[in-house]
Amino acid sequence: MPTGTLLAIIVAVVVVVVLAAMTVSFMQRRRHLRERFGPEYDRTVEESDSRRAAEHELQDREKRHDSLEITPLAPGSRDRYTREWSTVQGEFVDRPVDAVHDADRLVTSLMRERGYPTEGFEQQMKDLSVEHGRTLDHYRAAHDVENLSNGSQATTEQLRGAMVHYRALFEELLSDGGRTQSVPS
């Protein structure tokens, strides 16, 4: 076999191997992002110009999250937050709007104590999405109702739903390493 033909075959094989390796790498990265971000992966892709841009955005979120000092709660803090949640939840019967505002403040306080920056809702969402992507829709829904309640436009049922949504994120933020301190219903 002439050297030129052999060289062409080797180059073609190398190109195919490189393309296959790149494809596997992209697929592994995509699978990792889907698993890590859950429904937030699909939401980000849907809101982005392209899947590649969305995946780059999610990778940037991971890098920022990795630079944060997210810490578990001390048992005393966990107990204090659990008691505060019970108080906020009990407030709902007589003052539902105030309870929703207090739930929002309590979740923000818990985020801050765990090490999440709290400089704005959109950034909070991005920072939370890395570890809590499966509960972000709860947080979005609760935040939307809380905004409606500022203008006295939220119904009691919407406010009740907001409390349920806040509780979902609250419980997840309260947990450490798979051990969840359950919040009273």
Side-chain angles (χ1 to χ4, degrees):
M1 184 178 297
T3 305
T5 305
L6 186 59
L7 189 56
I9 291 172
I10 291 173
V11 167
V13 168
V14 168
V15 167
V16 167
V17 168
V18 167
L19 288 174
M22 287 175 54
T23 300
V24 167
S25 174
F26 287 132
M27 289 172 55
Q28 286 176 334
R29 181 184 70 185
R30 182 167 293 156
R31 185 176 58 245
H32 163 75
L33 292 173
R34 278 182 186 272
E35 289 172 3
R36 180 113 196 230
F37 287 90
E40 188 64 14
Y41 174 89
D42 294 326
R43 179 186 207 84
T44 305
V45 168
E46 186 177 301
E47 292 176 354
S48 185
D49 294 335
S50 69
R51 181 176 302 275
R52 182 178 213 128
E55 290 176 351
H56 183 70
E57 160 70 19
L58 294 172
Q59 287 175 320
D60 287 347
R61 290 183 195 184
E62 279 185 316
K63 287 177 190 168
R64 176 180 159 93
H65 184 273
D66 290 347
S67 73
L68 300 174
E69 291 186 38
I70 307 301
T71 59
L73 289 174
S77 291
R78 186 177 298 115
D79 292 342
R80 177 177 46 86
Y81 277 108
T82 300
R83 284 190 308 274
E84 287 181 40
W85 180 262
S86 292
T87 300
V88 167
Q89 202 163 258
E91 173 185 20
F92 184 82
V93 172
D94 294 324
R95 299 183 357 250
V97 172
D98 292 337
V100 168
H101 294 308
D102 290 345
D104 181 67
R105 282 191 287 276
L106 189 59
V107 166
T108 301
S109 175
L110 178 53
M111 287 172 54
R112 188 178 306 111
E113 188 164 335
R114 291 286 315 273
Y116 288 99
T118 56
E119 70 259 5
F121 181 72
E122 289 305 317
Q123 189 59 52
Q124 287 176 3
M125 295 296 289
K126 289 178 180 180
D127 292 337
L128 287 170
S129 70
V130 178
E131 293 293 326
H132 306 284
R134 288 170 183 20
T135 55
L136 279 188
D137 283 339
H138 288 287
Y139 191 38
R140 276 189 191 91
H143 184 75
D144 289 347
V145 172
E146 201 242 349
N147 284 338
L148 282 174
S149 73
N150 287 332
S152 300
Q153 297 175 347
T155 66
T156 302
E157 186 59 26
Q158 287 173 315
L159 294 168
R160 186 197 67 72
M163 291 297 291
V164 171
H165 291 307
Y166 276 126
R167 184 176 61 223
L169 179 61
F170 183 83
E171 285 180 336
E172 197 167 295
L173 286 168
L174 202 61
S175 70
D176 292 335
R179 296 184 336 253
T180 301
Q181 174 85 18
S182 194
V183 177
S185 296

